[in-house]
Amino acid sequence: MSYDTMRGGVLGIPPWRGSSIVYDRAWMILEHLRGNGYGTGRNPVYKETRRVEQDMATLISALEQGHEATVREQVQHNLRFLSAQQLAATSR
C-alpha cells in the first residue's frame, strides 16, 4: 500500500498507551513530506531524498502493522518535519 491510498484517522489505532499521539504525529509528518514533493516508489536522484523516502516507506509499513517500536522510532527520528504548533497540538 502506498501513502496515496492511505488515510489517517482514528480507525486502526492500536491499543498501546500514547498511540493516538504518536499516530497523529506520524500522519502529520507524512502529510508534510507528501506536500513537499516526497513520495515512496520513485527513483530519487539525491541521497537525502532517497533516505527520506525510505523513512516514509518504513513509517507507512509500521503504521499498517501497528508495530509500536518502529512507529515511535520513526516519529522521533523525523520530528524535525513538524512545527512547534503541531507538536503543541499533539502533546498532552
Side-chain angles (χ1 to χ4, degrees), residues 25-58:
R25 288 182 177 180
W27 285 111
M28 286 181 198
I29 290 168
L30 290 172
E31 287 290 332
H32 171 80
L33 293 174
R34 187 67 178 142
N36 286 298
Y38 292 97
T40 58
R42 299 182 323 146
N43 188 14
V45 177
Y46 299 107
K47 186 176 182 179
E48 177 65 14
T49 304
R50 184 177 12 235
R51 189 194 57 76
V52 170
E53 291 181 359
Q54 288 172 347
D55 283 352
M56 284 178 72
T58 302

Side-chain angles (χ1 to χ4, degrees), residues 3 5 39 44 52 63 75:
Y3 174 80
T5 60
V52 170
L63 287 169
V75 168

